[in-house]
Amino acid sequence: MKSFKKYSLTAIGIALALGLLGCSEQQTSAVEKPVKEQVSELKAALSSGISLENMDKSIRAQDDFYEHINGNWLKKTEIPADKSNYGSFSQLYDNSQKALKTVIEAAVANKNAVAGSDEKKLADFYNSYMDEVRVSALGIKPLQAEIKNIKAVKDHKAVTSLMADILIKGGTTPLGWYVDNDAKNSSEYGVYIYQAGLGLPDRDYYLKDDEKFSKIRTEYNTYISKLLSKAGIKNSEQAAKNIIALETKLAKVQWSRVENRDATKTYNKLNIEKVNEMLGQFDFLAYLEKSNINSEQVIISQPTYIEAFGKLFSETEVAIWQDYLAFHYIQDYAELLSSDFEKLNFDFYSTTLKGIKEQKPRWKKAVDSANSVLGEVLGKVYVKDNFPPEAKQRMNVMVQNLIKGFEIAINDLEWMSPETKIAAKEKLNKFTSKIGYPDKWKDYSALEIKADDLVGNFVRYSQWTYADMTNKLGKPVDRSEWHMTPQTVNAYYNPVNNEIVFPAAILQPPFFNLDADDAVNYGAIGAVIGHELGHGFDDQGAKYDGDGNLRDWWSESDLKQFEKRGANLVSFYDKFKPFDDANVNGQLTLGENIGDLGGLTVAYKAYQMSLNGHKSSKIDGYNGEQRFFMGWSQIWRRKYRDEELRNRLMTDPHSPSHYRVIGILANMPEFYKAFDVKQGDKMYIQPEKRVKIW
């Protein structure tokens, strides 16, 4: 949801990518052996897990393995009108959304729910969203008090204070920040300050001169003017021009997404007095006090932006700051207002930028919003109904096998010195895995939810989230915290905790299939596990040690070898061109591509280990080695609208799905052997040009 940038206040600023570590020690020892025996006993009866009906055998596996495995699905599948793209992730998301709707409707139906209980809050929140009559009647009224506050400021000092207040309430300002483990002292929390404040997806939308971006800027100008006019802001056309001019100045001094990936360059710990000097007329000390931040030091992600913003802040008239802040606050909450505001927001952010044809049904938006605000309330019930214990048990076995596979991969590296291998294995052995759901659920007792105050619910949620975050300062780091809910179809690696996390919702077919043979599971969820482990050793994750601290643990010669191989992967991915005028950004996607290549390589080793020296079984005409790669390909089936794909090429650190398959497999000798890929085949690469990192 575009509106709720308040999530930038959490640890999303760290390298999150794509629950419990296990049961207690006693429980783990009690179940591990039976699970292994059970898996072994069932192998003969398990299915292949391959969706054969999705294959297009008119396209050779050796020429385009993605199209070979997914071609019929791509031909017959239409992107739903309310989506910008559609694939395996989307299908699981849809399933999760329906499951959450069932949970919410049960809460709504319970008229005896105790006031203030989680169930009552869930029902009240959903009812506040679904009350279209009330939302329509209110129009802009829920935001009028804040707009009045914005229009009342008289000088730059008041604007500084206002920016702090708006950020606490979930609005957009040119400075963003969050609290997370200090990357160079991961046992303590730190305050991170970073660039923010643009209404378009990326700085390049303001800076590129070609016709596509010029047209988008024109439509953005029209959107701003219409939204402000609808909200009763005078001189909206001139205000729109001033806002775009201001955002363009911000864009010119912002770092690129490639620069922002650099964990070393974006770590700049400074005393608050020094930052106050850098910001000039922007009174940073007063801003911190208003923001309830009690810290003598902060970590600046983009120092040059901070200095440039300080100059721009004082050079920009108060009236322009008023229009800028008013527009963004209205825009941030436009989806929660009456249909005229909602439609303006949808037409620009969803149709113009992403190509989406229709709005979601209101119940879907209500479920998504409830999931955002009360995610772990829903998560508790979701895992009871949708995450069987045997899934967690089998995942634990796979994670341990993947870690063993990664250790073998490290030992086999011909380019890494023994000293660096010891340090790499030390980090590997300190990985923590979280599977399914957290062992400690969030306490929502202090969050007030009202059945007749939709916007107010989100404002209070933002304030509650903010207070929860600032209260961490000075306290021990809570390493049990999750940054995704159990019903999220994704996974992530958190470098400052050195942890890999797999929510329950992704542990379903085609990613994880309890009824399928190990081959497809190792090629799918096994590779995802390997991918997240691989993030600990990608071009940025490898800068953190096993305790989550940002420090050098590589020998100089090993680091040069590592960077050389990474550079080869950059140039390899740069050559993929989804459009004649747009290619994959190999540097932006480097971390994810390293994660894919290392993850799949290690998953293959783990699968071979799981065979215990036996030959893989043949199911549906394919041996285990072939089904392993088929499992990888089918999880990435996805279709994009052109607008969405272009947007992702500029902003997404992941390569498009097609290239996540063929780009990785073309560099793996094991794939060549499994499908007899030879010179002359379209996926063939000369052995000396293939990239191997882990």
Side-chain angles (χ1 to χ4, degrees):
M1 183 176 283
K2 168 69 173 64
S3 303
F4 308 116
K5 295 179 181 177
K6 58 176 70 67
Y7 287 114
S8 64
L9 298 176
T10 66
I12 288 174
I14 62 177
L16 297 182
L18 243 168
L20 303 151
L21 172 59
C23 304
S24 68
E25 185 174 350
Q26 181 180 4
Q27 289 172 305
T28 300
S29 62
V31 300
E32 185 173 342
K33 186 175 180 181
V35 170
K36 289 181 178 178
E37 291 174 355
Q38 176 188 10
V39 170
S40 177
E41 290 169 3
L42 289 177
K43 274 185 179 179
L46 294 173
S47 70
S48 73
I50 303 299
S51 300
L52 300 174
E53 70 279 6
N54 289 335
M55 295 178 65
D56 183 354
K57 294 185 179 180
S58 69
I59 299 173
R60 299 174 67 244
Q62 300 84 351
D63 290 336
D64 190 325
F65 197 68
Y66 177 79
E67 290 280 351
H68 176 71
I69 298 300
N70 302 305
N72 280 345
W73 183 90
L74 293 168
K75 289 175 184 175
K76 68 185 180 184
T77 301
E78 295 291 333
I79 300 174
D82 63 351
K83 296 184 187 298
S84 63
N85 66 96
Y86 194 70
S88 297
F89 285 89
S90 314
Q91 291 170 313
L92 291 189
Y93 163 79
D94 286 345
N95 294 339
S96 175
Q97 193 177 50
K98 291 173 184 174
L100 298 182
K101 182 172 184 275
T102 300
V103 174
I104 294 170
E105 287 178 338
V108 171
N110 183 7
K111 304 304 179 185
N112 297 317
V114 178
S117 67
D118 285 350
E119 188 176 23
K120 180 62 173 170
K121 287 177 181 180
L122 190 57
D124 285 348
F125 181 88
Y126 189 74
N127 286 334
S128 75
Y129 206 110
M130 295 301 291
D131 190 352
E132 286 188 81
V133 174
R134 180 175 179 80
V135 170
S136 179
L138 287 172
I140 192 64
K141 287 181 183 178
L143 304 184
Q144 280 181 334
E146 193 63 37
I147 294 171
K148 185 178 180 180
N149 291 339
I150 293 170
K151 288 302 181 181
V153 297
K154 303 297 184 184
D155 53 32
H156 282 82
K157 182 177 181 180
V159 173
T160 302
S161 178
L162 182 67
M163 284 186 180
D165 182 64
I166 287 175
L167 195 67
I168 292 170
K169 292 177 179 176
T172 294
T173 73
L175 290 181
W177 67 272
Y178 61 93
V179 172
D180 196 48
N181 311 49
D182 184 326
K184 290 196 175 180
N185 184 8
S186 65
S187 63
E188 295 182 358
Y189 284 115
V191 178
Y192 292 78
I193 310 287
Y194 62 94
Q195 66 188 27
L198 302 182
L200 293 174
D202 185 77
R203 67 171 199 164
D204 286 352
Y205 279 76
Y206 298 86
L207 307 180
K208 286 185 175 288
D209 291 330
D210 59 65
E211 185 179 350
K212 290 187 296 295
F213 291 101
S214 178
K215 183 180 178 183
I216 287 173
R217 289 192 293 269
T218 298
E219 294 192 36
Y220 183 45
N221 183 90
T222 301
Y223 168 64
I224 296 173
S225 178
K226 286 183 176 180
L227 195 72
L228 291 177
S229 177
K230 184 71 67 177
I233 306 294
K234 296 179 181 178
N235 303 316
S236 63
E237 291 185 6
Q238 184 59 49
K241 293 177 183 177
N242 292 341
I243 290 166
I244 291 183
L246 174 57
E247 290 187 13
T248 302
K249 292 175 183 177
L250 289 170
K252 286 179 179 178
V253 296
Q254 288 196 353
W255 291 21
S256 71
R257 288 180 183 263
V258 170
E259 292 171 312
N260 285 327
R261 289 192 64 251
D262 193 316
T264 304
K265 291 181 180 178
T266 54
Y267 184 96
N268 304 278
K269 195 171 187 177
L270 301 172
N271 290 328
I272 56 175
E273 291 81 7
K274 173 61 176 176
V275 180
N276 197 48
E277 290 177 17
M278 294 166 66
L279 281 165
Q281 194 176 343
F282 186 94
D283 190 340
F284 188 62
L285 300 181
Y287 175 83
L288 291 181
E289 184 177 357
K290 178 74 173 181
S291 302
N292 195 32
I293 302 174
N294 184 18
S295 179
E296 293 300 314
Q297 296 178 309
V298 293
I299 301 161
I300 303 297
S301 295
Q302 302 93 5
T304 58
Y305 172 80
I306 294 299
E307 289 184 307
F309 167 66
K311 294 177 183 177
L312 185 59
F313 177 75
S314 57
E315 292 170 357
T316 303
E317 297 175 12
V318 170
I320 294 177
W321 281 120
Q322 287 176 316
D323 287 335
Y324 167 89
L325 292 170
F327 160 67
H328 277 290
Y329 198 73
I330 297 165
Q331 152 57 26
D332 287 337
Y333 283 98
E335 286 182 271
L336 305 180
L337 302 177
S338 52
S339 59
D340 46 356
F341 288 97
E342 186 181 32
K343 186 176 186 306
L344 280 173
N345 175 277
F346 174 83
D347 287 347
F348 180 71
Y349 280 103
S350 295
T351 302
T352 299
L353 293 183
K354 297 184 176 182
I356 300 174
K357 309 301 182 185
E358 295 178 5
Q359 292 199 49
K360 294 178 181 178
R362 193 165 186 87
W363 73 263
K364 287 188 176 183
K365 290 188 282 188
V367 169
D368 286 347
S369 294
N371 194 28
S372 297
V373 173
L374 296 164
E376 291 197 11
V377 172
L378 284 164
K380 283 184 188 180
V381 183
Y382 177 85
V383 295
K384 287 179 183 177
D385 297 339
N386 297 278
F387 191 59
E390 55 267 32
K392 188 166 188 169
Q393 293 162 5
R394 195 163 168 192
M395 271 292 289
N396 275 325
V397 172
M398 291 187 73
V399 169
Q400 293 309 310
N401 283 347
L402 263 294
I403 290 174
K404 291 175 185 175
F406 219 110
E407 184 173 2
I408 292 171
I410 292 170
N411 288 332
D412 290 344
L413 290 177
E414 73 282 359
W415 57 268
M416 183 178 280
S417 67
E419 295 78 15
T420 304
K421 284 183 179 181
I422 291 172
K425 287 187 285 187
E426 179 183 337
K427 176 173 184 175
L428 182 67
N429 290 329
K430 288 185 175 182
F431 265 88
T432 298
S433 63
K434 297 176 179 177
I435 298 170
Y437 50 88
D439 57 355
K440 182 175 69 175
W441 298 96
K442 286 185 179 179
D443 179 3
Y444 292 87
S445 58
L447 174 61
E448 183 182 17
I449 299 293
K450 298 181 179 180
D452 60 354
D453 189 12
L454 177 58
V455 170
N457 287 335
F458 271 98
V459 172
R460 287 186 293 275
Y461 166 70
S462 183
Q463 293 168 323
W464 174 78
T465 303
Y466 189 95
D468 179 65
M469 182 176 63
T470 54
N471 286 338
K472 293 177 180 178
L473 291 171
K475 296 179 181 177
V477 168
D478 181 5
R479 295 186 182 268
S480 70
E481 185 178 14
W482 279 51
H483 300 297
M484 285 180 181
T485 62
Q487 59 271 24
T488 302
V489 186
N490 213 328
Y492 68 88
Y493 169 68
N494 182 348
V496 291
N497 277 350
N498 195 32
E499 64 182 5
I500 50 176
V501 185
F502 305 97
I506 198 173
L507 303 178
Q508 301 177 65
F511 295 90
F512 181 59
N513 189 343
L514 273 172
D515 297 324
D517 176 69
D518 271 351
V520 70
N521 281 321
Y522 273 96
I525 197 64
V528 174
I529 296 169
H531 173 100
E532 302 307 339
L533 285 170
H535 273 310
F537 301 95
D538 69 21
D539 65 313
Q540 299 305 315
K543 296 178 179 180
Y544 296 82
D545 65 18
D547 296 316
N549 292 313
L550 187 62
R551 71 171 180 86
D552 293 330
W553 53 269
W554 292 71
S555 72
E556 187 175 347
S557 60
D558 288 339
L559 185 59
K560 286 181 180 178
Q561 276 284 343
F562 179 70
E563 290 173 343
K564 178 182 177 182
R565 289 162 186 266
N568 290 338
L569 200 59
V570 169
S571 59
F572 178 78
Y573 269 86
D574 277 342
K575 295 172 184 175
F576 289 124
K577 296 188 68 173
F579 303 101
D580 290 340
D581 60 344
N583 61 284
V584 174
N585 184 335
Q587 192 66 55
L588 175 62
T589 59
L590 177 59
E592 298 297 333
N593 295 334
I594 291 176
D596 283 346
L597 181 56
L600 195 62
T601 299
V602 170
Y604 187 86
K605 292 180 184 294
Y607 170 61
Q608 292 298 311
M609 286 168 47
S610 75
L611 295 174
N612 294 316
H614 299 295
K615 187 177 181 180
S616 67
S617 57
K618 206 165 195 178
I619 308 176
D620 291 338
Y622 298 94
N623 63 37
E625 288 71 20
Q626 291 171 325
R627 296 195 311 278
F628 171 88
F629 292 110
M630 295 167 84
W632 171 253
S633 185
Q634 70 179 10
I635 68 173
W636 296 116
R637 58 178 182 249
R638 185 192 300 237
K639 294 184 74 169
Y640 306 87
R641 299 192 191 280
D642 285 354
E643 298 90 341
E644 170 72 358
L645 183 52
R646 286 184 179 277
N647 183 15
R648 287 183 179 234
L649 289 174
M650 294 181 63
T651 63
D652 192 349
H654 303 84
S655 297
S657 293
H658 191 167
Y659 310 118
R660 294 190 77 163
V661 175
I662 64 172
I664 298 304
L665 300 188
N667 284 288
M668 288 187 63
E670 299 88 347
F671 171 72
Y672 286 68
K673 182 178 179 181
F675 286 92
D676 194 27
V677 181
K678 298 177 179 177
Q679 190 164 4
D681 295 331
K682 291 181 180 178
M683 288 187 62
Y684 181 85
I685 300 174
Q686 294 287 349
E688 65 274 12
K689 293 183 178 180
R690 297 172 199 163
V691 180
K692 179 184 177 182
I693 299 180
W694 295 103

